[in-house]
């Protein structure tokens, strides 16, 4: 098994974190860099990512996540929040970044800009939000693997009230919707689930080879 | 920069593959293993993954993917297809796997089974499909990183006609919907885009730290 896959095999959805252990600032920066480097549709990164370590804020968020203990026990909470009704203004902003990063005239990027706008403009708001939410899951998958590479534990979480979370964090005013959460930290020795055998579909059930 | 992040930095959405270079069977198995080990909601893996190297099938699929050359030039096409209207039968199947893998009585898993069913049953079909589709993006993110670890190139693709693709591959009868594609192989030396500077949102724009 490759080292990469050994890390995937090592990781599991941590149910109980050791609340005394904190992820170092340096490791947080490495994880943020991995998120930043994640692929996304057209490279648009149509989301923002909240990284929360403040104990008071974590405590406030807990009821919005069904009081799951990971929210307060984990060292950090990472909340992926997709941009609502992503559209022309966001694409123009991205094109400006492409122009500056690559030293290209805006005019040279007009075709690319039009291509994206023509693809996104016809989408109704709910499809648009579903599409931006999906992009956060690429970054989530990448974060889980990047953390495992550093032997940092994670628990991805969909069990939360997005409206309540947005309200607490003032995300509505920021035009953001919480899409998915990862709590990160170090597993508690007491977490029995770390000893459970990993359950996966066998390859012949999961894959169709043509 | 960590080796993991260096690999992410190395990768890019490959626009032109070297059609003469094939990914080895051994590497394909490693990538399949990475997909298999990907996290998913409750561990349900509500999807199947098609791995296609047959040149005739690739040729047939090309028009359904806007004739993008990656479809035929890449060594393999990986199509993530979420299970339609995922529900009780699928959960029972999963619980059976948990029971067998961990040597637990089905009765001991009744509570866990009910928890999942109670969470999924109220979802209307479109929300259910959006939820299973999102899970494929975790696996996609993981595949991109796992491939980069092996210095295998990838191009994630959302530009395709899902209905047409399903028709060609007989996925409707299998109760599957194509969600997202990754073409994998080796970059052509002629692909100019490999030299483009990577465009990413700066950290202070992408992250909110609390």
């Amino acid at each position: 098994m490759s080292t990469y896959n050994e890390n995937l095999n090592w990781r599991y959805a941590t149910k109980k974190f050791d609340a005394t252990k904190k992820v170092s600032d340096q490791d947080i920066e490495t994880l943020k860099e991995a998120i930043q480097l994640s692929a996304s549709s057209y490279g648009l990164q149509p989301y923002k990512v909240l990284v929360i370590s403040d104990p008071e804020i974590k405590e406030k968020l807990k009821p919005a996540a069904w009081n799951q203990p990971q929210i307060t026990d984990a060292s950090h909470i990472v909340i992926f929040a997709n941009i609502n009704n992503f559209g022309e203004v966001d694409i123009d902003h991205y094109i400006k970044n492409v122009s500056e990063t690559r030293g290209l005239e805006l005019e040279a990027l007009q075709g690319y800009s039009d291509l994206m706008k023509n693809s996104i403009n016809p989408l109704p708001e709910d499809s648009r939000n579903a599409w931006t939410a999906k992009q956060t899951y690429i970054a989530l998958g990448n974060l889980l693997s990047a953390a495992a590479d550093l032997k940092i534990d994670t628990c991805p979480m969909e069990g939360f009230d997005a409206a309540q979370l947005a309200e607490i964090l003032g995300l509505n005013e920021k035009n953001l919707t919480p899409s998915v959460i990862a709590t990160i930290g170090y597993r508690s020795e007491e977490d029995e689930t770390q000893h459970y055998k990993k359950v996966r579909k066998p390859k012949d059930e999961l894959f169709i080879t043509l």
Side-chain angles (χ1 to χ4, degrees), chain A:
Chain A
M1 194 179 264
S2 67
T3 306
Y4 185 94
N5 287 353
E6 276 170 13
N7 288 335
L8 295 183
N9 206 36
W10 170 84
R11 75 159 295 283
Y12 73 111
T14 302
K15 294 292 179 292
K16 189 170 170 49
F17 285 91
D18 183 335
T20 67
K21 293 188 183 162
K22 300 296 167 197
V23 178
S24 71
D25 289 348
Q26 191 190 328
D27 283 346
I28 290 293
E29 287 310 308
T30 301
L31 296 178
K32 283 166 71 174
E33 196 172 59
I35 292 169
Q36 186 185 30
L37 286 166
S38 293
S40 62
S41 193
Y42 299 111
L44 287 166
Q45 300 173 282
Y47 47 77
K48 289 202 185 247
V49 184
L50 291 88
V51 181
I52 303 169
S53 58
D54 184 306
E56 282 183 30
I57 296 175
K58 292 197 287 184
E59 199 64 56
K60 264 190 218 164
L61 296 175
K62 203 172 179 179
W66 306 347
N67 286 309
Q68 291 174 91
Q70 295 96 314
I71 295 289
T72 40
D73 286 348
S75 169
H76 289 68
I77 312 175
V78 178
I79 302 179
F80 295 90
N82 53 308
I83 296 171
N84 297 330
N85 215 15
F86 191 92
E88 300 220 353
V89 172
D90 306 285
I91 292 172
D92 287 341
H93 184 70
Y94 170 64
I95 285 289
K96 190 163 169 284
N97 191 0
V98 176
S99 159
E100 288 169 3
T101 304
R102 296 185 175 160
L104 297 168
E105 297 292 328
L106 282 176
E107 283 163 24
L109 296 165
Q110 192 63 48
Y112 186 44
S113 174
D114 290 345
L115 174 81
M116 289 188 282
K117 288 180 182 176
N118 291 338
S119 143
I120 292 165
N121 279 342
L123 294 177
E125 189 169 343
D126 58 346
S127 308
R128 215 179 275 217
N129 292 344
W131 165 70
T132 52
K134 284 194 284 193
Q135 308 306 318
T136 67
Y137 278 67
I138 299 178
L140 170 69
N142 198 20
L143 170 62
L144 300 181
S145 304
D149 181 58
L150 296 171
K151 293 284 183 292
I152 292 171
D153 285 297
T154 50
C155 185
M157 296 166 72
E158 288 180 317
F160 56 86
D161 183 321
Q164 206 181 331
L165 213 59
E167 178 68 31
I168 297 167
L169 293 165
L171 297 183
N172 298 317
E173 300 82 69
K174 293 190 167 76
N175 197 32
L176 298 169
T177 298
S179 156
V180 68
I181 295 179
T183 47
I184 65 180
Y186 296 95
R187 62 186 70 176
S188 162
E189 283 180 20
E190 292 163 20
D191 187 0
E192 283 304 318
T193 63
Q194 69 188 288
H195 306 299
Y196 291 1
K197 211 172 158 196
K198 199 179 280 297
V199 178
R200 287 297 187 272
K201 287 185 179 175
K203 272 186 181 170
D204 62 0
E205 185 184 328
L206 184 60
F207 295 99
I208 298 170
T209 306
L210 298 173

